[in-house]
């Protein structure tokens, strides 16, 4: 005879997910954070790598730039006998560091070298401040001789060639530098090769990647400056860059560029920032980039501040300019995706979709952004229905007509967004795919997303990629340890001893990471994975055991939370009952530490509701009862078994959920909405298996009520309901006033898990397909370095 107090093994093994039975959640979270951050910080010099990104994310932050100020200082007056802006030379001579360099504390070593050389060239150009020049030369001599060519791997193509171009200028000015050292030779040789390859390029302005073109000073001797005006803004700036605009003015004496530079110095005094103005679309493109690299959690505060500012101050502009349209669409998508209330009727969508002249001008990038925004459609938003239809047609046509001359990266992005709906994207997994695409091996090519980058983001690109790869590798190591512990829990729980029980450890954990990827969320991942495995085992048990009497005893065991009630039942039933009760007890103990109260009554009730619904379905099968569609849904949304998974895991996502929150009807409405969506989606995916096993489904119920329909027609009808419910659920998940953030986060993660498992008519839990196996292997076990071609 055994009771709940005598079965401690599964719970004890569950605790091993956190490393040891006596390790508290807070201690383990801190250990995990230290493990990840110490490795990441060491690899990419995070303090400097992160601070300039934080500055780039601040809408009103304009730190002064020695590099850009130096380029402005190089501009001659109309007579050519002196500087046009002598105050910039005074600023340079007054702002040299004690070590002889120019730059700020957050600059990387390479940034310091580039800024110092730019300042040195400007001073030498006008024979100004010889003492500063001498100290700058001494700094650069030591810096260049201490560098290795490997140190250039985290340097963007634009900044690489900007430094190389400055070395050529320094040589012409007879500045004393170690030109024969390996790094300097490497820079100059590679730069010469690039310039040679670009000379004579047809329509260089259109064919050159923005990785290089946004740094025109680095290729100033091959750019057709008379054609550059098409890239110049109405305010006169080029790429919001004072350095690029200064170079433009030196080459063309363009009056708009001069007005821009004069305005900067009027505003900032005798120096200029690295970027002005900051365009919202550029900041949002950077946020999108950080999210797709799965490193946005390091910039949570800055991202939140940007979105809060936009939500208060954004007023949509109605303009036929394509670039403005793209910006407006990006703003709409960012606000809605992050849960801010914004309506497409007041946005640029009406202009994009209703004005034929605008449609003719829209290119691949605008259509991609239009499609991504239309995926966030709420029920009744016809303008987004139209936008999705139009953009889908346009993008599909682009794919079908793609030629070798088209950008392979853009075509890959189009194919990806069409193949993987918004709900289907497991963000940590997507980061792996995104990093594959976002490489810097070919400086003349760029990914689709880079077309929306600002110059400052281009400059940070390689460091962000390195940071993301290190973050991925460190998390991957942590996930491997957790998987080992979870595998021990499965073994000691004895679920794997029975051939009829599916083994969804890896798919379950993959979806858990999609909900809670941060290292400190180990308990949330454990809760999600354990609950998924347990509900799968119970579901398989109810399918396997034909004795309804035994199943009723199982239900009564859960109702009373007493294992003695099943002591005379079959071995599989006893083992699964023991594993469930013991492991749920463990989760109850852990959640009480976080929430500050006992939630065992809720967890037990969620399990009871589940097994009662499963028993009802088992009784239908035993009696031959054929339920109506409504009767089927009323039971099957509960038997879909999300109750013990998502509501339980939300208590581990970092926020306190009070008893008053649990009384909110929206909390439970969302539970039913997602569960119903999942049940219908699952029925469409497992139609053949259900038919062979004689199981009731929404499709068979629909066919009985509509006898004129074939099985395929009935499935199509249910698929229509799936799409309708997806939009309904999305409108709730993205509504900031609807229930609590961790609740919405948990259910959005489940929506993505359901799409990933069932969207392509494959039940990933019962028959892990080759594609899913490949994803699991790459994500959890294949080092990210091996992805580099």
């Amino acid at each position: 005879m055994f009771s709940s107090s005598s079965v401690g093994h599964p719970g004890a093994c569950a605790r091993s997910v956190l490393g040891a039975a006596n390790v508290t959640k807070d201690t383990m979270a801190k250990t995990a954070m230290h493990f990840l951050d110490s490795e990441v910080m060491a690899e990419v010099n995070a303090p400097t790598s992160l601070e300039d990104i934080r500055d780039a994310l601040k809408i009103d932050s304009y730190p002064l730039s020695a590099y850009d100020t130096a380029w402005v200082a190089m501009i001659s007056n109309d007579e050519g006998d002196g500087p046009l802006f002598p105050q910039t030379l005074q600023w340079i001579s007054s702002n040299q560091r004690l070590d002889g360099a120019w730059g700020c504390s957050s600059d990387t070593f390479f940034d310091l070298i580039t800024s110092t050389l730019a300042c040195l060239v400007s001073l030498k150009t006008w024979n100004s401040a010889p003492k500063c020049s001498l100290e700058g030369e001494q700094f650069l001599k030591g810096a260049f001789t201490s560098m290795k060519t490997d140190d250039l791997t985290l340097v963007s193509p634009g900044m690489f060639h900007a430094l190389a171009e400055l070395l050529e200028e320094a040589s012409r000015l007879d500045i004393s530098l170690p030109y024969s050292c390996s790094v300097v030779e490497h820079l100059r040789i590679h730069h010469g090769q690039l310039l040679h390859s670009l000379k004579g390029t047809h329509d260089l302005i259109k064919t050159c990647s923005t990785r290089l073109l946004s740094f025109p000073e680095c290729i100033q001797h091959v750019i057709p400056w008379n054609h550059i005006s098409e890239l110049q803004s109405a305010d006169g700036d080029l790429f919001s860059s004072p350095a690029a605009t200064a170079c433009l003015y030196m080459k063309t004496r363009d009056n708009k560029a001069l007005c821009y530079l004069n305005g900067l110095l009027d505003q900032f005094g005798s120096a200029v920032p690295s970027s002005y103005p900051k365009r919202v679309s550029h900041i949002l493109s950077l946020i999108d980039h950080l999210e797709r690299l799965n490193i946005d959690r390091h910039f949570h505060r800055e991202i939140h501040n940007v979105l809060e500012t936009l939500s208060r101050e954004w007023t949509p502009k109605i303009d036929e300019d394509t670039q403005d349209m793209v910006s407006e669409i990006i703003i709409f998508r960012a606000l809605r995706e992050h849960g801010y209330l914004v309506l497409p009727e007041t946005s640029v969508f009406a202009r994009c979709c209703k004005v034929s002249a605008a449609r003719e001008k829209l290119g691949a990038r605008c259509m991609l952004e239009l499609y991504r925004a239309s995926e966030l459609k709420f029920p009744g938003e016809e303008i987004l229905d139209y936008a999705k239809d139009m953009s889908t047609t346009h993008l599909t046509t682009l794919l079908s007509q793609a030629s070798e001359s088209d950008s392979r990266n853009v075509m890959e992005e189009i194919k990806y967004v069409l193949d993987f709906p918004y709900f289907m994207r497991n963000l940590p997994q997507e980061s792996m795919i995104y990093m594959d695409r976002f490489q810097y091996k070919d400086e003349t090519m760029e990914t689709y997303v880079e077309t929306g980058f600002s110059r400052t983001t281009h400059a940070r690109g390689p460091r962000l990629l390195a940071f993301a790869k290190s973050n991925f590798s460190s998390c991957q190591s942590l996930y491997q340890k957790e998987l080992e512990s979870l595998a021990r829990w499965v073994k000691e729980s004895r679920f794997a001893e029975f051939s009829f029980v599916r083994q969804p450890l890896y798919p379950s954990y993959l979806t858990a990471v999609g909900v809670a990827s941060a290292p400190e969320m180990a308990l949330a991942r454990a809760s999600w994975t354990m609950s998924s495995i347990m509900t799968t085992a119970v579901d398989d048990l109810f399918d396997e055991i034909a004795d309804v009497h035994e199943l009723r005893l199982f239900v009564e065991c859960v109702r009373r939370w007493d294992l003695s009630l099943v002591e005379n039942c079959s071995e599989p039933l006893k083992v699964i009952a023991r594993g469930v009760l013991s492991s749920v007890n463990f989760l109850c103990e852990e959640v009480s530490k976080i929430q500050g109260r006992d939630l065992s009554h809720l967890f037990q009730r969620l399990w009871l509701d589940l097994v009662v619904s499963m028993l009802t379905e088992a009784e239908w099968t035993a009696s031959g009862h054929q339920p109506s569609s409504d009767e089927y849904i009323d039971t099957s949304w509960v038997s879909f078994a999300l109750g013990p998974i998502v509501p339980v895991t939300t208590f581990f996502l970092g926020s306190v959920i009070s008893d008053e929150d649990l009384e909110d009807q929206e909390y439970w409405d969302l539970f039913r909405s997602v569960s119903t969506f999942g049940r219908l989606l699952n029925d469409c995916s497992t139609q053949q298996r259900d038919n062979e096993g004689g199981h009731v489904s929404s499709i068979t119920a629909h066919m009985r009520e509509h006898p004129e329909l074939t099985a395929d027609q009935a499935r199509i009808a249910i698929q229509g309901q799936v799409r309708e419910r997806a939009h309904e659920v999305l409108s709730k998940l993205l509504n900031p006033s609807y229930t609590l953030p961790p609740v919405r986060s948990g259910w959005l993660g489940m929506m993505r898990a359901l799409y990933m498992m069932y969207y392509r008519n494959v039940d990933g839990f019962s028959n892990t397909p080759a594609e899913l196996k490949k994803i699991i292997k790459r994500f959890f076990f294949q080092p990210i370095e091996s992805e580099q071609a």
Side-chain angles (χ1 to χ4, degrees):
M1 182 173 181
F2 46 83
S3 64
S4 58
S5 61
S6 66
V7 285
H9 293 299
C13 190
R15 287 183 178 87
S16 73
V17 173
L18 300 181
N22 61 344
V23 178
T24 67
K25 183 254 183 185
D26 287 342
T27 301
M28 193 58 194
K30 291 176 182 176
T31 301
M33 254 328 260
H34 173 75
F35 167 75
L36 176 113
D37 285 347
S38 62
E39 290 194 8
V40 173
M41 298 296 188
E43 181 162 337
V44 295
N45 193 20
T48 55
S49 292
L50 296 185
E51 280 307 313
D52 57 354
I53 300 300
R54 292 193 174 97
D55 281 337
L57 289 169
K58 295 174 183 175
I59 293 178
D60 297 321
S61 174
Y62 293 100
L64 297 179
S65 164
Y67 175 82
D68 289 80
T69 301
W71 275 96
V72 175
M74 294 179 208
I75 302 174
S76 68
N77 57 29
D78 290 340
E79 291 73 28
D81 57 1
L84 181 61
F85 301 108
Q87 68 270 41
T88 56
L89 287 174
Q90 180 60 44
W91 184 91
I92 290 171
S93 61
S94 301
N95 284 273
Q96 190 174 27
R97 292 163 35 129
L98 293 177
D99 59 1
W102 278 271
C104 60
S105 58
S106 65
D107 282 348
T108 65
F109 188 54
F110 182 88
D111 291 337
L112 287 177
I113 291 174
T114 307
S115 296
T116 300
L117 185 53
C119 289
L120 190 56
V121 167
S122 66
L123 293 177
K124 283 286 189 176
T125 297
W126 306 115
N127 293 316
S128 178
K131 183 174 181 295
C132 291
S133 296
L134 182 61
E135 292 176 357
E137 287 179 1
Q138 292 303 313
F139 170 83
L140 289 175
K141 287 176 181 177
F144 280 125
T145 54
S146 67
M147 283 183 71
K148 299 177 181 178
T149 54
D150 288 346
D151 296 332
L152 300 175
T153 56
L154 297 184
V155 178
S156 71
M159 291 307 297
F160 178 101
H161 290 286
L163 177 58
E165 181 62 29
L166 285 169
L167 282 169
E168 299 304 321
E169 292 294 324
S171 177
R172 283 189 282 272
L173 291 168
D174 292 325
I175 295 175
S176 178
L177 294 175
Y179 295 104
S180 61
C181 78
S182 60
V183 168
V184 174
E185 287 188 340
H186 176 80
L187 284 161
R188 298 181 74 182
I189 291 172
H190 198 71
H191 185 56
Q193 293 171 343
L194 173 71
L195 295 182
H196 179 76
S197 69
L198 293 178
K199 282 182 180 178
T201 300
H202 177 69
D203 204 354
L204 180 63
I205 300 299
K206 290 185 178 179
T207 58
C208 187
S209 76
T210 56
R211 286 182 176 182
L212 289 175
L213 196 59
S214 59
F215 296 82
E217 68 272 23
C218 79
I219 50 175
Q220 59 176 310
H221 298 298
V222 296
I223 279 188
W225 289 99
N226 55 325
H227 294 149
I228 202 77
S229 60
E230 61 189 79
L231 302 175
Q232 193 177 9
S233 78
D235 296 328
D237 66 274
L238 194 58
F239 304 112
S240 297
S241 165
T245 309
C247 195
L248 168 66
Y249 182 72
M250 282 190 279
K251 298 296 182 180
T252 66
R253 313 307 279 190
D254 178 82
N255 190 58
K256 287 198 303 180
L258 179 60
C259 290
Y260 167 78
L261 296 171
N262 277 321
L264 282 182
L265 291 170
D266 288 343
Q267 181 172 348
F268 294 99
S270 53
V272 297
S274 60
S275 177
Y276 188 90
K278 286 186 178 178
R279 292 184 166 81
V280 171
S281 62
H282 289 162
I283 296 176
L284 294 178
S285 291
L286 175 56
I287 291 174
D288 188 45
H289 185 46
L290 296 173
E291 290 174 342
R292 295 176 76 175
L293 288 172
N294 198 36
I295 55 176
D296 53 296
R297 65 188 177 83
H298 295 279
F299 311 95
H300 173 75
R301 183 182 304 171
E302 290 78 16
I303 292 172
H304 174 75
N305 290 340
V306 169
L307 296 171
E308 282 289 306
T309 300
L310 279 179
S311 69
R312 292 191 306 267
E313 301 178 3
W314 176 52
T315 301
K317 294 187 297 183
I318 304 300
D319 196 317
E320 290 191 19
D321 181 80
T322 303
Q323 189 58 47
D324 285 342
M325 286 184 179
V326 173
S327 299
E328 296 295 305
I329 293 168
I330 290 174
I331 293 171
F332 168 85
R333 176 174 60 81
L335 289 174
R336 176 161 285 191
E337 188 171 13
H338 289 87
Y340 291 86
L341 289 176
V342 56
L343 301 175
E345 286 81 4
T346 60
S347 75
V348 75
F349 286 95
R351 197 69 176 170
C352 281
C353 296
K354 294 180 180 178
V355 180
S356 60
R359 288 203 303 268
E360 292 172 2
K361 292 164 57 179
L362 300 181
R365 179 162 184 257
C366 189
M367 281 297 176
L368 272 165
E369 294 298 345
L370 190 63
Y371 179 87
R372 293 180 71 191
S374 70
E375 288 190 287
L376 305 179
K377 168 190 175 293
F378 288 177
E381 292 181 336
E382 295 181 0
I383 191 70
L384 290 187
D385 281 329
Y386 186 84
K388 187 166 188 178
D389 289 343
M390 185 183 72
S391 57
T392 301
T393 300
H394 190 95
L395 294 173
T396 303
T397 301
L398 283 177
L399 269 183
S400 65
Q401 298 177 351
S403 63
E404 292 185 1
S405 61
D406 291 317
S407 169
R408 176 175 56 85
N409 288 307
V410 173
M411 293 302 117
E412 285 180 354
E413 182 75 10
I414 292 174
K415 188 175 187 306
Y416 182 79
V417 299
L418 291 177
D419 285 350
F420 294 91
Y422 173 78
F423 270 142
M424 195 176 173
R425 296 168 196 160
N426 179 303
L427 299 186
Q429 173 198 332
E430 185 183 56
S431 71
M432 175 183 66
I433 300 169
Y434 190 64
M435 283 186 282
D436 284 352
R437 219 180 287 159
F438 200 85
Q439 300 292 338
Y440 277 83
K441 295 190 177 299
D442 188 344
E443 62 202 8
T444 63
M445 291 183 64
E446 62 192 347
T447 64
Y448 153 74
V449 75
E450 288 179 273
T451 60
F453 277 5
S454 67
R455 169 183 162 118
T456 52
T457 306
H458 276 298
R460 296 164 174 84
R463 282 185 285 141
L464 278 177
L465 181 60
F467 182 78
K469 286 185 174 183
S470 184
N471 177 78
F472 181 91
S473 298
S474 297
C475 285
Q476 187 182 64
S477 179
L478 188 64
Y479 298 156
Q480 288 171 2
K481 290 179 173 63
E482 292 179 9
L483 277 167
E484 290 173 1
S485 295
L486 285 164
R488 288 196 298 271
W489 167 77
V490 170
K491 181 178 180 180
E492 294 185 23
S493 296
R494 298 179 59 196
F495 296 145
E497 291 182 8
F498 310 108
S499 60
F500 65 85
V501 176
R502 291 167 288 173
Q503 304 299 320
L505 171 58
Y506 291 108
S508 298
Y509 188 74
L510 180 65
T511 59
V513 171
V515 174
S517 63
E520 66 270 22
M521 290 293 178
L523 263 174
R525 290 188 291 274
S527 169
W528 184 286
T529 306
M530 292 165 63
S531 299
S532 298
I533 292 170
M534 289 188 291
T535 56
T536 301
V538 172
D539 182 44
D540 292 339
L541 178 73
F542 273 72
D543 284 343
E544 177 70 15
I545 294 181
D547 187 345
V548 175
H549 174 70
E550 269 207 342
L551 296 179
R552 287 174 181 153
L553 286 174
F554 187 94
V555 171
E556 198 60 28
C557 166
V558 174
R559 187 189 309 277
R560 300 185 190 182
W561 216 250
D562 183 359
L563 287 168
S564 66
L565 296 174
V566 294
E567 63 178 350
N568 295 321
C569 292
S570 62
E571 186 68 9
L573 190 147
K574 288 192 296 185
V575 168
I576 291 174
R578 181 172 57 203
V580 168
L581 268 61
S582 180
S583 297
V584 173
N585 285 341
F586 159 73
L587 293 175
C588 290
E589 292 172 15
E590 294 301 319
V591 83
S592 67
K593 302 172 188 176
I594 299 171
Q595 298 293 327
R597 67 191 192 282
D598 181 16
L599 288 166
S600 57
H601 64 288
L602 174 61
F603 288 15
Q604 291 171 14
R605 183 53 193 251
L606 290 166
W607 272 98
L608 177 60
D609 289 346
L610 171 62
V611 296
V612 167
S613 67
M614 288 180 171
L615 177 61
T616 300
E617 293 180 341
E619 291 172 338
W620 287 347
T621 301
S623 66
H625 175 66
Q626 297 294 319
S628 66
S629 291
D630 290 343
E631 185 182 7
Y632 171 77
I633 288 297
D634 284 343
T635 297
S636 66
W637 77 264
V638 183
S639 69
F640 193 60
L642 301 189
I645 303 173
V646 184
V648 170
T649 301
T650 55
F651 289 102
F652 292 101
L653 291 178
S655 298
V656 173
I657 301 175
S658 67
D659 289 335
E660 291 74 19
D661 294 326
L662 296 177
E663 294 173 0
D664 185 357
Q665 188 58 42
E666 290 180 345
Y667 183 96
W668 302 107
D669 286 346
L670 193 55
F671 176 14
R672 176 161 186 157
S673 295
V674 178
S675 296
T676 304
F677 166 83
R679 171 55 71 190
L680 295 176
L681 185 61
N682 174 255
D683 286 353
C684 292
S685 302
T686 59
Q687 180 183 8
Q688 182 177 349
R689 194 179 71 209
D690 289 339
N691 290 341
E692 293 171 353
H695 297 296
V696 177
S697 74
S698 58
I699 295 174
T700 59
H702 192 76
M703 288 176 66
R704 283 194 305 276
E705 295 169 0
H706 302 275
E708 73 280 5
L709 298 180
T710 65
D712 286 342
Q713 290 171 332
R715 179 173 53 81
I716 291 171
I718 298 300
Q719 286 174 333
Q721 295 181 31
V722 169
R723 285 189 289 271
E724 291 175 5
R725 288 188 178 273
H727 292 307
E728 173 194 333
V729 172
L730 181 60
S731 65
K732 294 177 181 178
L733 292 173
L734 298 182
N735 185 340
S737 64
Y738 197 92
T739 192
L740 303 170
V743 175
R744 295 198 307 272
S745 176
W747 285 113
L748 178 57
M750 178 52 76
M751 288 289 287
R752 286 180 164 144
L754 295 173
Y755 256 101
M756 181 168 64
M757 294 302 166
Y758 301 122
Y759 179 72
R760 294 189 175 183
N761 296 328
V762 175
D763 182 351
F765 282 98
S766 58
N767 182 24
T768 305
E771 184 178 350
L772 187 56
K773 285 182 179 179
K774 182 179 178 182
I775 291 171
I776 289 169
K777 180 180 178 181
R778 289 185 64 201
F779 187 73
F780 291 123
F781 302 108
Q782 188 169 333
I784 191 65
E785 291 78 12
S786 64
E787 298 299 322
Q788 299 178 27

